[in-house]
Amino acid sequence: MLPADFLENTVASYFTFPVTAEYMRQSRYYHANSNTYYLDGIGSTATLVVTDVKTQENRTTLTLSGYILSSFEYYYWEDTLVVEAAGDSWRYVSLDHGETGYIAKEDAFA
């Protein structure tokens, strides 16, 4: 478990746009009672696959499908990431969370 302030400040330092604590605390890993984040990184794997790419002028839309299989759960999602060409780099436009699902291990692997 990580203290919320520590994790939120660390994550926010990697972005040029504001990443608020309120936004981050919507995460299923945030626990309000202890003001901490529980990270299930040990003993789990995350897989992320780009399943579709569409480009129109300087804007590219990527469909991302992913899942986490850990010793406790199976969690899957599909997101849409939009970026724009900005010189020799890319500029973040949006990330829309699409379909998500969660299955506790005892249900997923019974």
Side-chain angles (χ1 to χ4, degrees), residues 15-101:
F15 294 90
T16 57
F17 56 90
V19 178
T20 65
E22 291 78 20
Y23 176 77
M24 289 186 62
R25 291 180 183 181
Q26 294 174 34
S27 166
R28 66 190 181 94
Y29 294 106
Y30 177 69
H31 297 275
N33 292 343
S34 60
N35 196 32
T36 59
Y37 289 88
Y38 173 73
L39 303 180
D40 184 22
I42 298 173
S44 68
T45 58
T47 300
L48 183 64
V49 179
V50 176
T51 56
D52 190 38
V53 178
K54 292 183 178 131
T55 302
Q56 186 174 0
E57 297 181 17
N58 69 332
R59 189 169 278 202
T60 300
T61 301
L62 299 101
T63 301
L64 310 168
S65 297
Y67 66 90
I68 296 173
L69 176 61
S70 76
S71 52
F72 303 108
E73 63 194 355
Y74 174 73
Y75 181 76
Y76 61 91
W77 66 93
E78 184 172 287
D79 295 336
T80 303
L81 172 66
V82 179
V83 294
E84 283 183 344
D88 293 336
S89 187
W90 295 95
R91 184 179 71 81
Y92 168 88
V93 175
S94 66
L95 177 63
D96 294 319
H97 300 292
E99 180 182 347
T100 62

